[in-house]
Amino acid sequence: MNRSFAWVAMGLFFALMTTVAAATEPILIADFEGADYGKWKVTGTAFGTGPAQGKLDGQMPVEGFQGNGLVNSFRGGDDATGTLTSPSFPLDRAFITFLIGGGGWADETCVNLIVNGQVVRTATGPNTQAGNSERLSPAAWDVREFAGREGTIEIIDRRQGGWGHLNVDQIELTDDRGLIPLFLPPAPLARNVTRQLVVDQKRLHFPVKNGARSRVVTVSVEGKMVRRFDIELADADPDWWAPLDVTPWAGKTLTIVADVLPVGSKALDTLKQADTLVDAQDLYREPLRSQFHFSPQRGWTNDPNGLVFFRGEYHLFFQHNPYGWNWGNMHWGHATSSDLVHWEEHSEALYPDEMGPMFSGSAVVDWKNTSGFGTAGEPPLVLIYTAAGNPTVQCIAYSLDGRTFTKYAANPVIKQISPGNRDPKVFWHEPTKAWIQVLYVENPGKRHSIHLFQSPNLRDWTLSSVVEGGIDGDKYLFECPDLFELAVDGDQNNKKWVLTAANSEYAIGGLTAGKFVPEVSRLADVRGQGFYAAQTFSDVPDGRRIQIGWSQAPSPGMAFNQLQTLPCELTLSTTPAGIRLRRTPVKELETLRDGPQHFGSLASFRGELIELQAHFKPGPAETIEFQLRGAKILYDALRQEISVNGHRAPAPLIDGRQRLTIFVDRTMLEVFASDGLTYVPLPFIPKAEDQSVSVTLHAGSARLSAAEEAAIEQTLQVYRLKSCWTKPASPRVNSK
Ligand code: FRU
């Protein structure tokens, strides 16, 4: 080729490229930055009259949208519904890209592309949070086959209840979707897919694919629906199997119906019956199963519920989704322990019913049989819980054996006060010989509050007073209240009442005539991340006030998710700042210590599960740094502050000394400082290969000599811990 021809050819090529590039500029369909939706049509209330500016009242933080505005159908909460429809536009690019988050309900919380009156593309949110926020993710549809036609976008929210909303932003037509993943066109669907089987084992196992479309499954026996739940059914290749206890219907025929499945889905064909869990050989030995924190065998947990000591056992009930890795289908799961350390999980204690899912609540031993559910010689265990349907009401259930639970036939015991009323915590108040209940009452747009009720018998409740909390986004005195009395500095003649809430802020005061009168309020308690909805045990024989909280520590890739924090004893102490809560891990945890404590050189220490105790008297400018399996805990004596993987918290010296306790488990880290005045729990997954512990001391910027470090090590105790899951994997179904 001669040179001048080559130049001409190149010039032509560039000219062509420029024209092509101009034709493929992305076209913005909507960025939702205006005050209203412009030409889009709105129906219902969920979308309001215009785009939202991030999260709405009562919603967790929303991230991942562009600019300031987005479509957010949480207007009026999860129960609001509506639609938002675009004007039609020509489909003259290869892809439509958008950002989407929120509810993952096919046909119910979705964005649809309509061509010729038909839904040709659809997408939903993921039904999950990312960390502590709802995050929108980029998605794309391939629309090449509709070139030259017109399309309309329809954003739908028909879903009520959990994740009943959708977030959408930045809808564009483009020829270059880059790395944005494609939402595939909808597969042909079959409705009411049915399978029948005769129960011949204790459990029926459902295949779950995390992140798959959620289906509604019903189980019926002799024409009566006995179970109904949402589940991300695996059409093939499940991630894990969710067990349903079918012992009540042994020998009977179950009819299982999935509301909708892609044609050809194997989901119902693969249902299996077996007494034990599927993959039971790995139970409690899974890579991300924390080894001394409670987590459910399968599924999701959030709040601890019904913490009580009854008939020689500690009971831990817990918010449980047995069929999913995420929140949903709230049941009360159930586990027991003789020592607060080794837990044995049992069948679900409370299943959702026609009054709704089973939200949080508490349990008491009714020693005087005031409820009449037991006898004087055989006092009943009474559970007080929220049935979160419409209306949302407070109910009770009872048990004589601590294994089987009967719901009270005349439920509810407290009717709906506001749609968000929930989380009853009950205790016996000896001075007035009455039961007292604290109940969270949500009041959208107004001040929310904690209501105090009294009852002679756990069945009939009268409102006695109201403590006001924050307004809307303000979480002061929010959900999951607890109220208990503690001696100040161990002085039985000087007791105070402590009112706590889900975010662990608390008030200290008095309780007179059914009214809580705060002396100090809004005290910040737990520092760290993901500690929530803690509750204290009722009826502990030695009178200790023991608390467990929910730790939002995820277990990615496992058949279970989230866990409960270490049980801690709460006490009240006088400090220079006033009276404050202190938290000490219960002494029973010492039984987990494996072998003799480790002094001396840390260089040779290796441990997977670790407890470290350090007592030291630092010089004024010293910082001391602990590294445990990659976790970095830094104590700064000048600032009197601790930093745990970057989370800083005040940690005053007490008599010039600092006492630290650090626990490292497979998915969480807990640090106690300043004799328990400071507690920093954090989700944390240590590096598998790193089993080392090191301590380094700095004075100013200088490192200390080996001799000086040796002096510090004198006060160090490091323990390898044993797993609390010592029992062999055993069937979790009760033999009744
Ligand atoms: C707190 C909470 C409670 C509610 C429960 C539902 O985490 O929102 O208020 O009862 O979770 O799972």
Side-chain angles (χ1 to χ4, degrees), residues 302-303 319 327 330 359-360 422-423 479-480 532-533 550:
N302 51 295
D303 313 352
Q319 288 286 280
W327 187 92
M330 282 296 126
F359 273 19
S360 288
R422 59 185 183 269
D423 311 337
E479 50 201 10
C480 304
Y532 201 71
W550 160 35

Side-chain angles (χ1 to χ4, degrees), residues 17 42 55 81 83 88 114 167 193 209 226 303 352 398 421 467 536 563 587 655 727:
M17 282 295 287
V42 191
K55 75 169 227 154
T81 57
T83 64
S88 73
I114 309 214
N167 305 324
V193 183
K209 185 93 191 158
V226 291
D303 313 352
Y398 59 92
N421 50 187
V467 196
T536 63
L563 40 84
K587 59 182 184 308
D655 303 330
K727 292 205 174 155

Side-chain angles (χ1 to χ4, degrees), residues 374-386:
T375 59
E378 212 181 352
L381 174 63
V382 180
L383 314 185
I384 308 96
Y385 63 92
T386 299

